[in-house]
Structures are given as structure tokens and as C-alpha cells.
Amino acid sequence: EVQLVESGGGLVQAGGSLRLSCAASGRIFDDYHIGWFRQIPGKEREGLSCVTSTDDSTYYADSVKGRFHISSDNAKNTVYLQLIDLKPEDTAVYLCAARQKLVDTPQHFCQRAKMAPGDYWGLGTQVTVSS
């Protein structure tokens, strides 16, 4: 079974930057889209960016275009999310997830932001942005 572990969260001032990492326990990039999502208490989960590393298909939510950048290191089985110009409203738990390529596109994976059978999800890393 695949495990996804997020890291890199923390407390940062508004305008600051962070790089989040999502490390997979096995080689899944050939068969899975990888996505970054965030959860704010009381709000619906939001899909931020999803990637298919084998063909560089990438989706970004409008709310983070130009500020967040997704990348992958296949040799390390790791996907990164670079966050820049952070705002207090970016405060959330950031989670990564994997979905089989055969069942969805990276855009739909991100836009729906719902768990589905066969997905793998990490536990998340907290990002707190102070004003």
C-alpha cells in the first residue's frame, strides 16, 4: 500500500514562502496523478494544484496561480509545492493525494477535491500565515 507523507509546513509571516514536500513510499508517478489540497476548518477542501509527472500535465486553481508552483522529483518519489507571497487566508492544513490516471484527469482531480476509492491521501501539514 502506498503512503504519502507531507512535510514543510510551519508558521510564516505574510509575504513569506514555504516549500511543502509530499513523499510517496513507492513509485507511483507512472500510474497516478499527484495533487495538493488544503483544508480550512468549516470550509470545503480546496484543490490547489495537480500534476501528472509523466507528461507534465499541470492544473492550478485560480486562487493560487502565480503564487504556488508544483514540481516533482521522480527519483525521490516526491512532489513539491512552492508557496510564495503567502497571505493569512492561506492558513490551512495542506494535504497531498494520489489518484489513478486511468480514472480521472489532473484538472478534475483538483476541481472535485473529493476522496474516491483507490485514492491515497496523506495526513497533512499545517501552514499558518501571520499578518
Side-chain angles (χ1 to χ4, degrees), residues 41-129:
K43 294 189 176 183
E44 289 192 356
R45 186 180 301 120
E46 179 184 12
L48 305 175
S49 182
C50 293
V51 65
T52 306
S53 63
T54 51
D55 63 11
D56 289 330
S57 297
T58 306
Y59 168 84
Y60 289 95
D62 288 342
S63 60
V64 302
K65 273 182 186 175
R67 294 194 303 124
F68 293 5
H69 177 70
I70 195 168
S71 61
S72 61
D73 185 333
N74 293 3
K76 294 184 178 180
N77 297 327
T78 301
V79 173
Y80 304 98
L81 188 68
Q82 181 73 43
L83 320 175
I84 66 171
D85 190 23
L86 283 162
K87 308 174 188 301
E89 52 265 39
D90 293 319
T91 295
V93 174
Y94 284 69
L95 310 101
C96 67
R99 175 166 296 170
Q100 291 183 352
K101 292 194 289 187
L102 292 176
V103 302
D104 214 342
T105 66
Q107 179 173 342
H108 287 164
F109 181 27
C110 259
Q111 288 178 329
R112 293 170 188 158
K114 303 286 186 186
M115 292 184 180
D119 286 354
Y120 296 103
W121 285 78
L123 297 179
T125 184
Q126 176 71 44
V127 171
T128 303
V129 185

Side-chain angles (χ1 to χ4, degrees), residues 23-38:
S25 61
R27 290 187 60 85
I28 63 172
F29 292 171
D30 288 346
D31 300 316
Y32 286 79
H33 308 302
I34 307 296
W36 280 99
F37 303 80
R38 66 185 176 191

